[in-house]
Amino acid sequence: MPIHNWFRYYAGFSAQWLRWLLAARADGGYVRVLDPFVGSGTLLLEAEASDAEAIGIEAHPFVARVARAKLLWRSDPQSLSAHAGEVLADARLRCADIPPQNGLLQRCYTPAALAELVALREAILERADERPAAELSWLALAAILREVASVNARQGQYVLPNHKQAPVVDAFEAFAARIRRMVHDMVLARREDRTGSAVLLEGDARDCAGVPDGWANLVVTSPPYANNYDYADATRLEMTFFGEVERWADLQQAVRQRLLRSCTQHVSDDVVATPAHIQDEAVAPIHDELASVCARLADEREGHGGKKNYHTMVALYFVDLAHVWRSLRRVTQSPCEVCLVIGDSAPYGIHVPVERWLGELAVASGFRDWHFEKLRDRNVKWRNRKHRVPLHEGRLWVAG
C-alpha cells in the first residue's frame, strides 16, 4: 500500500483492516485512537487517512525514526525529487574511494554494492538538516538496504550472511526507484481527503508518558509476542550501516533496554531474580499459573544445550504487560475499546495461554471484560523441529 510500503517492518498488522475498523468506529462518534506499540506507523497513517485523531508510542529508536519519516508524506514531493537527485549525483562521484567497513556489512554486500551504499549514505549525511526531503532520502536509503544485499536479508527475518543470493538491482538504481515510488505516492495522497491527525511519541508503553489521562476511546495495537523474537536484532543491519551500533552486543544498550522484555537475549541479567519477578504484585491475578509454567520451563531448560532463559522471559513479559494495562486504563475513557493482535506461545513445548492471561490482567487493571477472536492457526504449516503444540493468533478485545 502507498506510504506503508516505503519501509516494510516485520512486526505489523493489516492497514486495510485498520482502515475498515476506524471507519466503523467513526459511525459511533469521533475516534481518538492510541497504539502503544506503533512500530513503523501503520495506525498513524491510517488515522490520517480517516477522520480520527491518533497517538502512537514506539520505544525502538530506529523504528520510531522510520515512522516519523513516513509521517512526512504531506511535504512537497518535488522538493524530495530535487534533493534526492542531488544526493544521487554526489554519490556517483564519491563511489571510487570508500574506506573499510564493518565486518557484517562486508559479509552482506558485494564490494561494488557496498561502495554505492556508503556513497549514498555520505551524500545524505552531508545534506542532513531539518527539511523533510533530507529525512525522506534517509528513509529511501534505509528501505533498500536489504533489497541490494548479496545474502538472504529479506525484510521480516534476521540477516543470514552464509546464504548467498544475487542482488535484485544495484544500489543507485534501487535508490532512484524508491524515490520515484515515494514521490508518486505523495502526489496521489495529497489528492485524497485526508482529514485525520497523528502524533508519534518515542517512549514506553509501560507508562504511556505524554498521553493525557482519559484521552483515548479506542486502542488498537500489536504488542511483542512471547515467542523469543529479538526485535532489536531485526534492525541490526540497518543500525550497523548507519553507525548506530558496531556489534551485536551493542543492541542491549542501544535498543533492548528500552523495549518490553519478550526475548531471552534481553533478560540474562534477571535470571537469578526470576522468583522475585513472579511475586510482583502486578501479576498477582495470574500468579499461581505463571509460577507453575515458569517452574516447568526452568526444569525443561536443564535438558537443553542452549539453556534458554524462557522462564525468566515469560515472567518478565507478563510483568511488563501488566504495567501496560495499568497505563492503558489511565489514558482511556469510559467507555472504551481495546484490541490487541496477539498470539500464544509454547517455549520448549510448554504452552503459555497468552490471550487468557492478558485478558485477566486487563480486568484486574480496571477494564470490564474481554473476549478472544481467533484469526488463524500457527505452527501447523511446517513440522516444527522443537515442538508440535498447536498455536493460534487473533484479536483480544477488551471493553472498559
Side-chain angles (χ1 to χ4, degrees), residues 16 18 34 47 73 96 109 129 132 138 155 183 206 253 310 337 362 365 373 380 395:
Q16 294 95 326
L18 272 179
L34 169 69
W73 65 267
Y109 299 100
D129 53 31
W138 171 88
Q155 194 69 44
V183 168
R206 290 166 289 194
Q253 180 70 22
Y310 290 128
E337 185 178 26
S365 298
E373 173 195 5
V380 295
R395 301 181 184 122

Side-chain angles (χ1 to χ4, degrees), residues 366-383:
F367 291 91
R368 187 176 70 246
D369 53 43
W370 65 273
H371 71 276
F372 184 71
E373 173 195 5
K374 190 178 88 167
L375 297 177
R376 70 182 184 97
D377 292 316
R378 299 163 55 222
N379 201 41
V380 295
K381 189 173 182 181
W382 297 281
R383 289 192 178 276

